[in-house]
């Protein structure tokens, strides 16, 4: 059996392979993400809101919610079923599993984000601790159908056992994704800055940035899926009683 963690960089390649497993679906999600990303400046222009980066950021967050909380989780659950065939996510029943779980996974992700955000506002370390300990809870709710309590306990125990592997690989995924997105944004702002929402809508560079940002989002989700599957397969990695019994 090949090593589960041959190198930190292998996770990045695994994510790319999962992204390309269904290239047309991944492309459709990226196109959808591009369109949703354009809703923020469009609403700014139609609503006469001027050039307010804060309002535009809030509108962008709201606009891309369908991507982050429905379409990307749906792709992740399908890929998990096809590549792993876990008894709690069989390949023949992934659609039914998704429809039964996605709203609970959405709620778990919102609760995690709210708790981590509150911790970051109060003091940085509590917020990071929440993400560190319970970051896999929404994934376990989605992929394995666990209750929120079991998912939180399973995530905590998984990180207790395998935190060096999980933390180093997850940080690498986020650093590479942010570095790529930041490089694209820096290049646009340096060579052809977009001054207001109206100029964004008329610029091919803006739409290219949105598309590449959607590509990074898909790749990040598939890379974290690959990481979770490896952690779960690691000796002692499956720690939640509910995951092993059903």
């Amino acid at each position: 059996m090949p090593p589960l963690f041959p190198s930190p960089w292998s996770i990045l390649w695994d994510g790319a392979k999962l992204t390309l497993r269904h290239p047309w679906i991944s492309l459709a999600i990226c196109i959808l993400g591009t369109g949703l990303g354009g809703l923020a400046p469009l609403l700014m222009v139609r609503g006469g809101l001027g050039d307010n980066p804060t309002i535009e950021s809030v509108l962008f967050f709201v606009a891309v919610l369908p991507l982050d909380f429905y379409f990307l989780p749906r792709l992740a659950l399908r890929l998990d079923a096809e590549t792993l065939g876990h008894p709690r996510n069989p390949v023949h029943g992934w659609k039914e599993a998704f429809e039964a779980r996605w709203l609970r996974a959405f709620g778990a992700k919102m609760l995690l984000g709210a708790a981590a955000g509150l911790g970051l506002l109060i003091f940085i370390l509590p917020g990071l601790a929440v993400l560190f300990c319970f970051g896999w809870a929404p994934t376990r709710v989605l992929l394995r159908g666990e209750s929120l309590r079991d998912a939180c306990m399973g995530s905590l125990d998984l990180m207790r056992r395998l935190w060096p592997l999980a933390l180093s690989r997850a940080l690498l995924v986020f650093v590479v994704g942010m570095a790529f997105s930041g490089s694209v944004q820096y290049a646009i702002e340096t060579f052809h800055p977009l001054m207001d929402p109206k100029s964004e809508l008329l610029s091919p560079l803006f739409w290219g940035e949105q598309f590449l940002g959607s590509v990074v989002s898909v790749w990040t989700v598939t890379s974290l899926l690959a990481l979770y599957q490896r952690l779960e397969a690691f000796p002692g990695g499956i720690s939640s009683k509910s995951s092993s019994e059903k």
Side-chain angles (χ1 to χ4, degrees):
M1 179 180 178
L4 291 172
F5 292 95
S7 74
W9 301 98
S10 63
I11 291 296
L12 309 184
W13 175 239
D14 288 344
K17 289 191 294 185
L18 286 175
T19 299
L20 295 174
R21 182 179 177 89
H22 295 291
W24 294 111
I25 295 177
S26 297
L27 178 61
I29 292 176
C30 291
I31 293 174
L32 175 63
T34 303
L36 292 175
L39 286 178
L42 179 62
L43 292 174
M44 295 285 288
V45 172
R46 291 296 181 91
L49 301 177
D51 182 18
N52 189 317
T54 301
I55 295 179
E56 188 171 0
S57 297
V58 173
L59 291 175
F60 178 82
F61 173 78
V62 174
V64 299
L65 280 178
L67 190 74
D68 292 334
F69 292 105
Y70 188 86
F71 293 101
L72 287 175
R74 192 175 194 274
L75 177 63
L77 189 111
R78 176 176 182 172
L79 291 172
D80 177 73
E82 292 176 350
T83 58
L84 195 61
H86 191 281
R88 303 207 67 187
N89 185 25
V91 67
H92 61 271
W94 70 267
K95 292 182 180 179
E96 293 78 7
F98 176 77
E99 293 302 327
R101 300 171 185 174
W102 79 268
L103 192 57
R104 290 195 296 118
F106 168 82
K109 194 169 184 178
M110 291 296 289
L111 285 174
L112 176 67
L118 181 61
L120 290 171
L121 286 176
I122 296 174
F123 192 67
I124 293 177
L125 289 180
L128 294 178
V130 169
L131 291 175
F132 176 85
C133 295
F134 306 113
W136 295 115
T139 300
R140 297 175 74 101
V141 171
L142 177 69
L143 300 184
R144 304 295 171 250
E146 295 179 342
S147 67
L148 181 59
R149 178 184 179 279
D150 287 342
C152 288
M153 295 304 295
S155 176
L156 179 62
D157 198 33
L158 191 68
M159 292 302 292
R160 180 183 63 82
R161 296 166 183 260
L162 302 173
W163 72 265
L165 294 172
L167 185 61
S168 61
R169 271 69 176 177
L171 283 177
L172 180 61
V173 170
F174 285 116
V175 167
V176 170
M178 288 188 296
F180 180 81
S181 298
S183 299
V184 172
Q185 186 175 13
Y186 176 79
I188 292 176
E189 292 178 353
T190 300
F191 299 105
H192 187 65
L194 304 174
M195 304 305 297
D196 54 65
K198 186 174 182 179
S199 66
E200 289 177 344
L201 291 172
L202 298 175
S203 174
L205 290 177
F206 170 78
W207 296 107
E209 181 185 10
Q210 297 305 307
F211 180 79
L212 292 176
S214 298
V215 171
V216 171
S217 296
V218 174
W219 171 81
T220 299
V221 167
T222 55
S223 296
L224 292 177
L225 171 62
L227 174 58
Y228 180 77
Q229 288 180 334
R230 289 193 178 193
L231 292 170
E232 194 178 53
F234 202 85
I238 303 177
S239 53
S240 174
K241 185 177 180 182
S242 62
S243 292
S244 59
E245 286 183 346
K246 296 185 180 182

